[in-house]
């Protein structure tokens, strides 16, 4: 009897609070799946922002980065999203041309290896693409794409039509080899075990032993070292350089929460957000946290040469690079 009364009392006292919760403004952010996973930045970012925003922050996972833009272009101005978080500079020109984004109005001091002046998109992290391998299983480490293609190593990559790492790989090969890029892909075709829609699937296959190496980031080994105490994973340093990725967020012009979107974008470059990035998204933060980077980051491969197309140029050569990739892999 007492238990029944206690339950009835709890229901009576929690109902008003539920009603209040429903009255909170909702901020909807589209992002990629790994960001909102239990081990990604999403949960910590949500808790930190909701601590003083008086709002309900809702992350919506939607595949990988390129899939985010595809979804948004289909939904157009009717999209329920207020912010899109997870595009990169290979996609921002196309996103800007859609007319769906509004100026962010932010001017934070950033710690990027390149200058930044985009009025629509604000960086939150960055890194370099690389092939990650297991040091206990790979004896001879390729030093460039030609050596990788000549080896008998099996690799997993991501689809450039749905994945930002996949698109980054296309542009990496294109910038490193120019007109010879198609030939590089033809030589690499035999090494490719499979092409996955996104990063999470590809990395999972690698960890399960389905491939010798996976397209990921120079920072990925930091996860294994810091979170697992495992120093067997490493990134292959390529002589021709590594292509850079700068991940960004942008606010939708049709958002019905303009004040909250501005507040979140300002929060995104604060220490509360940036300190979460290194050990959850396993990338370099756009602004170095007050505590600095975790110790394991000092062991990572530092590319001798950084590669990056300007946003407009990346958009202009995307179709050509994609056609070369498709032709090589269809033979």
């Amino acid at each position: 009897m007492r238990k029944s009364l206690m339950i009835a009392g709890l229901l009576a006292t929690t109902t008003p609070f539920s009603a209040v919760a429903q009255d909170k403004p909702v901020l909807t952010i589209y992002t990629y799946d790994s960001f909102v996973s239990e081990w990604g930045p999403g949960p910590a970012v949500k808790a930190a922002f909701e601590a003083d925003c008086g709002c309900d922050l809702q992350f919506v996972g939607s595949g990988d980065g390129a899939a985010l833009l595809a979804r948004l272009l289909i939904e157009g101005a009717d999209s329920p999203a207020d912010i899109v978080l997870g595009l990169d500079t290979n996609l921002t020109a196309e996103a800007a041309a859609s007319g769906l984004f509004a100026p962010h109005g932010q001017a934070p001091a950033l710690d990027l290896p390149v200058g930044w002046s985009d009025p629509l998109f604000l960086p939150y992290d960055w890194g370099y693409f690389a092939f990650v391998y297991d040091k206990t299983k790979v004896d001879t480490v390729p030093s460039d794409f030609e050596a990788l293609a000549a080896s008998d190593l099996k690799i997993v990559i991501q689809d450039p039509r749905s994945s930002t790492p996949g698109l980054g790989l296309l542009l990496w090969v294109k910038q490193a080899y120019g007109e010879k890029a198609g030939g590089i892909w033809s030589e690499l075709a035999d090494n490719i075990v499979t092409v996955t829609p996104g990063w999470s699937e590809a990395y999972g296959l690698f960890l399960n032993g389905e491939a010798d190496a996976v397209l990921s980031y120079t920072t990925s080994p930091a996860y294994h070292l810091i979170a697992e105490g495992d120093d067997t994973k490493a990134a292959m340093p390529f002589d021709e350089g590594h292509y850079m990725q700068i991940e960004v967020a942008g606010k939708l012009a049709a958002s019905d929460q303009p004040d909250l979107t501005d507040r979140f974008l300002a929060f995104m470059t604060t220490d509360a957000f940036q300190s979460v990035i290194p050990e959850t998204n396993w990338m370099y933060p756009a602004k170095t946290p007050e505590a600095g980077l975790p110790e394991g980051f000092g062991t990572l491969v530092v590319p001798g040469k950084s590669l990056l197309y300007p946003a407009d140029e990346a958009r202009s050569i995307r179709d050509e690079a994609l056609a070369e990739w498709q032709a090589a892999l269809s033979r």
Side-chain angles (χ1 to χ4, degrees):
M1 185 66 159
R2 177 178 294 180
K3 185 176 181 180
S4 298
L5 290 172
M6 287 175 64
I7 293 174
L10 285 170
L11 289 174
T13 57
T14 55
T15 300
F17 287 103
S18 298
V20 170
Q22 292 173 359
D23 291 336
K24 289 183 178 180
V26 177
L27 183 67
T28 302
I29 300 180
Y30 281 5
T31 188
Y32 44 81
D33 289 341
S34 62
F35 194 94
V36 297
S37 68
E38 62 180 352
W39 44 266
V45 168
K46 176 180 169 68
F49 187 65
E50 287 183 345
D52 66 356
C53 75
C55 70
D56 181 11
L57 174 58
Q58 295 291 330
F59 282 117
V60 178
S62 186
D64 218 334
L68 285 176
L69 181 57
R71 174 176 178 174
L72 185 65
L73 294 178
I74 291 172
E75 294 176 346
D78 293 327
S79 175
D82 299 297
I83 291 173
V84 173
L85 184 153
L87 305 181
D88 67 12
T89 55
N90 295 327
L91 295 171
T92 52
E94 183 177 357
S98 72
L100 296 173
F101 290 87
H104 54 70
Q106 308 289 325
L110 300 174
D111 296 319
L112 298 175
V114 295
W116 191 264
S117 60
D118 193 316
L120 296 181
F121 300 101
L122 190 65
Y124 62 92
D125 70 13
W126 65 279
Y128 295 101
F129 295 117
F131 283 95
V132 173
Y133 70 100
D134 188 324
K135 293 187 289 186
T136 67
K137 298 178 180 179
V138 176
D139 296 325
T140 302
V141 181
S143 59
D144 56 30
F145 282 103
E146 292 178 313
L148 177 59
S151 75
D152 59 0
L153 296 179
K154 298 302 179 183
I155 63 175
V156 180
I157 65 172
Q158 297 88 41
D159 194 323
R161 296 163 294 188
S162 57
S163 165
T164 50
L167 179 56
L169 177 61
L170 278 194
L171 299 179
W172 183 5
V173 173
K174 190 66 176 174
Q175 190 165 49
Y177 291 93
E179 294 180 357
K180 297 180 180 179
I184 294 294
W185 280 116
S186 295
E187 295 171 5
L188 280 171
D190 290 342
N191 301 84
I192 299 171
V193 174
T194 191
V195 179
T196 64
W199 176 88
S200 297
E201 302 96 322
Y203 210 82
L205 290 173
F206 164 67
L207 292 180
N208 287 334
E210 300 295 324
D212 300 305
V214 60
L215 174 65
S216 193
Y217 299 87
T218 61
T219 47
S220 297
Y223 163 75
H224 300 284
L225 183 62
I226 296 171
E228 301 178 334
D230 175 9
D231 64 355
T232 64
K233 309 300 186 294
M236 298 177 181
F238 276 13
D239 293 340
E240 64 262 82
H242 290 252
Y243 198 86
M244 185 187 303
Q245 181 182 50
I246 301 173
E247 294 193 295
V248 301
K251 68 176 186 176
L252 278 298
S255 170
D256 61 358
Q257 298 290 344
D259 293 337
L260 267 181
T261 60
D262 289 343
R263 188 169 178 177
F264 181 85
L265 291 175
F267 164 77
M268 196 174 70
T269 56
T270 66
D271 204 70
F273 184 109
Q274 292 291 296
S275 62
V276 171
I277 291 297
E279 294 187 74
T280 55
N281 223 32
W282 302 100
M283 297 278 278
Y284 293 108
K287 185 175 178 60
T288 305
E290 292 178 7
L293 295 174
E295 185 176 346
F297 274 65
T299 67
L300 301 176
V301 166
V302 177
K305 182 179 181 182
S306 299
L307 305 176
L308 182 67
Y309 281 115
D312 288 338
E313 192 172 352
R315 185 189 185 199
S316 69
I317 67 170
R318 179 180 176 180
D319 289 344
E320 178 186 345
L322 182 59
E324 292 171 343
W325 176 81
Q326 290 176 311
L329 268 61
S330 64
R331 291 174 188 150

